[in-house]
Amino acid sequence: MLRMGAIVLGMLALATAAQAQSVTVKVESGVLAGTQTDRAAIFKNVPYAAPPTGALRWAAPKKPLAWKGERDASKNGVSCPQQMNADGSPNSGSANGPVSEDCLQLNVFAPPNDKIGAAAKAPVMVWIHGGSHRTGAGWIYDGQNFARDGVVLVSINYRLGPLGYFAHPALTKAAGKAPVGNYGLMDQIAALEWVQRNIAAFGGDPKNVTVFGESAGGMSTLAILATPKAKGLYQKAAVQSGGGWFSPSTLAGKEADGVAVAAKLGLENATAADLRAVPADRLIAQTLSGDYGPFVDGRLLKETPSQAFAAGRESDVPLIIGANSGEDSLIGRSLPNASALAAAIPAAVKAPYAAEAAKGDEALVRAAFGDRYMVGPARWVAAEAADGAPAWLYHFSYVGSRFRPMGVTSAAHAAEIQYVFEYWGRRTPESMVAADDKAMAKLMHGCWVAFAKTGAPRCDIDWPAYGRARDQLVEFGAQSGVREGFRKGQLDVQQALVLPTLGLPAN
C-alpha cells in the first residue's frame, strides 16, 4: 500500500515536471528563474534578507544581497536549523532535508501569466508556518491552488528555536538600542516588508495583503497584529489555532534563561562573540526543551497580543480566527496521568463539563485543554477585535474520510491546513482523498480566497461576522453551518478563570 502510494506520488511529480515551463521575474536583488504550471508561476528559495550568520546571528535582518545573472528559483531551499529525525522522515513540523542558518528565503506562487506583473493586481496572502516556533519550513506548503484562484501566495521561513527567540545580556549590550530577542518575529516583518517592495513584480497588490498562519504561525500573526512596526504592511489577517491568551514576559526574564543556556554550554561569562561562535546544532541540542515564541522585549513587542487586544491597540484589520475540535492532540495520544490532571481542575471549571466528565477523566482533561488554549482564546480575540473591523470566528470539526475507519472522531491540531490550501500534502496520495474531503476543501479554500480578495469570507456558506450578543461562528464539519452560543458555558468559565491571571478584565 505504501509502495503504491509512493509510485502514485512519483507519477504525479513527473507529470507536473512535464507541464512546467521556465519563467523569469526581476526583483530588487536580481532576476529569478522559476517554473510555470497550468496553475501557477512558482519561484522558490527567494532570499528576502541577508544570511543571519556571523555578526548577523541574533541581529535584526538586513536586506538581501544582490546576485548577477539568473538565480535558480525552481527548487526548494533549506529549512532553518531545527531538530530533524535521524531516519530522514518529516519531523513534528513536517520538515526534513538539509538545514542552514542561511535560511531566510520565501516562496511565491503567482497566478500564471506570460507577463508576470503586467496584469491586474492580485490579492496577496503571506503564510507563516507552524511548528512550536522550533520546527517547520515555508517550502513545505504548496500554494498553487491559491494562485489558480487569483491569489499570490507567499510562504516564508523564519528563524526558529534558540536562533529565533533568544536573549542574553551580552547580546542586549551589543545591540545598543536595536530590538533584541524576537528574531523570528523580526524575520516575519522583514518578509512582509520584502512583499511591499517586490510583490508587484509577480502581479500582486502590495495594498491588499493578508497575513495568516497556523499554530506558531497563528501566534506569530497575533504578535504581528500587536507590533506597531508591522502596521501598514498588511490589510487583513487570519489565525488558525493560534490561541490568544498570552502570559506577560520580560526581556530580563528571557536574558536569565539565556544565561542559563550559556552556562550549560560552558560559557558562564559569555560575550556576544562567544555566543555567535557556538555551532547551531550544538545550541539546538542543548535547548530542545526551551520555551520559544514572541515575548515582550520592550522594544519591538511592547505588550502581549492579549494586552493589545484588550486595550484596543492591535492593528484594526478584518480578521478570521478559529480552532479545531481535537486540539488536545497536542498533549499526545494517551494520558496515563489523566486522573491527577482532572483532579487539579477547579470545581467551578468542571461544572459546565458534565457531559465530558461522564465519559471519564481523560475526556474531561482533553476538552478542558482544547477550550483553555485554543477554542476559548479564539472566541475572546474575535469579540475584542469585533469592536473595530469585523471578525469571523470558526470551529473546524471535520474528520477526513481516511481517518474515520481508525475511530478518529475529532479534527486534530493542524488538520484544517489541507482544506484551507486545498492541497493534501506530501504524504497523502490522491487515492486516499474522498469526494466529501474535496468538497470540504473547496468550501474552506473558497472562504479564505474570498477573504483575501474582498475582506470578507463571502463563500459557499453564510458566515456572519462575530458579535458578542449573538455569539455566532461557522462550524466546518460533517454538517457545516452557523452555530450560536457554541460551547458557551465551557468557554465562559475558562475565560473567567484565565483572564485575571493575565492581568486582564474577565469580560
Side-chain angles (χ1 to χ4, degrees):
M1 184 72 174
L2 289 175
R3 181 175 175 79
M4 180 57 69
I7 292 172
V8 171
L9 285 174
M11 292 174 64
L12 290 173
L14 287 173
T16 301
Q19 295 173 3
Q21 301 173 354
S22 63
V23 61
T24 61
V25 66
K26 190 178 188 305
V27 295
E28 62 185 354
S29 302
V31 177
L32 297 166
T35 55
Q36 183 162 295
T37 69
D38 59 345
R39 289 180 291 160
I42 306 169
F43 301 87
K44 299 180 177 181
N45 194 25
V46 180
Y48 69 83
T53 56
L56 290 184
R57 179 195 276 188
W58 294 313
K62 305 296 183 184
K63 284 188 177 181
L65 305 176
W67 60 82
K68 294 181 179 180
E70 293 183 354
R71 177 185 171 94
D72 182 7
S74 65
K75 302 179 182 66
N76 290 328
V78 300
S79 301
C80 289
Q82 58 194 277
Q83 185 75 11
M84 291 293 190
N85 291 337
D87 62 2
S89 63
N91 63 16
S92 60
S94 295
N96 58 356
V99 300
S100 170
E101 285 192 72
D102 182 5
C103 63
L104 299 187
Q105 288 97 30
L106 52 77
N107 312 282
V108 181
F109 299 83
N113 192 322
D114 290 339
K115 296 180 180 179
I116 299 296
K121 293 179 179 179
V124 181
M125 300 186 77
V126 179
W127 172 253
I128 304 176
H129 71 79
S132 301
H133 305 283
R134 67 177 71 212
T135 62
W139 62 263
I140 294 165
Y141 302 89
D142 190 318
Q144 290 189 71
N145 286 339
F146 277 107
R148 176 201 65 193
D149 295 333
V151 174
V152 178
L153 190 285
V154 180
S155 63
I156 69 172
N157 282 354
Y158 57 94
R159 282 174 282 183
L160 301 167
L163 293 168
Y165 296 94
F166 183 79
H168 188 281
L171 295 174
T172 302
K173 180 179 178 181
K177 295 183 179 180
V180 293
N182 284 301
Y183 305 106
L185 179 60
M186 294 179 210
D187 294 342
Q188 294 158 9
I189 294 171
L192 290 169
E193 291 171 338
W194 185 94
V195 165
Q196 288 297 306
R197 300 192 305 267
N198 293 279
I199 208 64
F202 301 89
D205 184 356
K207 295 182 180 179
N208 187 6
V209 176
T210 300
V211 59
F212 73 132
E214 185 273 340
S215 192
M219 295 177 189
S220 296
T221 300
L222 289 169
I224 286 170
L225 288 167
T227 303
K229 179 178 172 57
K231 287 188 177 181
L233 299 177
Y234 56 92
Q235 287 69 46
K236 299 176 286 295
V239 177
Q240 300 167 210
S241 298
W245 290 333
F246 301 99
S247 298
S249 56
T250 64
L251 177 59
K254 293 295 182 179
E255 286 180 335
D257 293 340
V259 169
V261 168
K264 291 180 181 179
L265 294 166
L267 299 172
E268 284 79 4
N269 297 299
T271 65
D274 293 334
L275 293 167
R276 289 179 172 131
V278 176
D281 56 353
R282 183 175 176 228
L283 180 67
I284 290 170
Q286 190 65 62
T287 56
L288 286 177
S289 62
D291 179 24
Y292 303 110
F295 64 91
V296 177
D297 64 293
R299 300 183 182 187
L300 181 68
L301 190 59
K302 299 182 180 180
E303 59 186 342
T304 67
S306 305
Q307 292 168 331
F309 274 93
R313 287 189 289 264
E314 82 282 1
S315 185
D316 188 20
V317 298
L319 173 69
I320 286 175
I321 189 167
N324 298 356
S325 61
E327 299 288 357
D328 58 279
S329 63
L330 287 167
I331 55 178
R333 294 182 179 180
S334 63
L335 286 179
N337 59 340
S339 295
L341 293 171
I345 297 175
V349 174
K350 288 181 181 178
Y353 287 90
E356 290 88 352
K359 298 176 183 178
D361 288 340
E362 183 167 337
L364 169 63
V365 170
R366 288 186 177 280
F369 176 89
D371 289 344
R372 160 65 179 86
Y373 290 99
M374 295 293 176
V375 182
R379 185 191 70 158
W380 179 81
V381 169
E384 296 297 321
D387 293 339
W392 290 267
L393 181 64
Y394 75 88
H395 187 75
F396 181 78
S397 62
Y398 182 80
V399 176
S401 60
R402 60 194 182 280
F403 299 114
R404 294 171 212 155
M406 305 175 194
V408 177
T409 58
S410 61
H413 183 70
E416 87 293 347
I417 297 175
Q418 293 184 327
Y419 301 89
V420 169
F421 274 71
E422 200 176 2
Y423 163 68
W424 306 108
R426 297 176 294 148
R427 294 179 285 179
T428 307
E430 188 77 12
S431 60
M432 295 176 65
V433 183
D436 56 345
D437 301 329
K438 294 178 181 178
M440 176 57 68
K442 184 174 184 286
L443 172 62
M444 286 195 79
H445 177 75
C447 292
W448 265 244
V449 167
F451 181 66
K453 290 182 175 180
T454 69
R458 299 186 181 96
C459 45
D460 292 338
I461 194 166
D462 182 16
W463 191 349
Y466 187 82
R468 296 175 193 268
R470 299 198 66 178
D471 188 23
Q472 290 179 312
L473 57 72
V474 155
E475 180 175 6
F476 293 102
Q479 297 294 326
S480 298
V482 178
R483 311 285 184 253
E484 188 168 313
F486 181 79
R487 297 186 66 78
K488 180 174 171 55
Q490 295 94 325
L491 304 188
D492 281 351
V493 75
Q494 292 285 355
Q495 188 167 305
L497 175 72
V498 174
L499 291 183
T501 68
L502 304 179
L504 302 174
N507 58 340

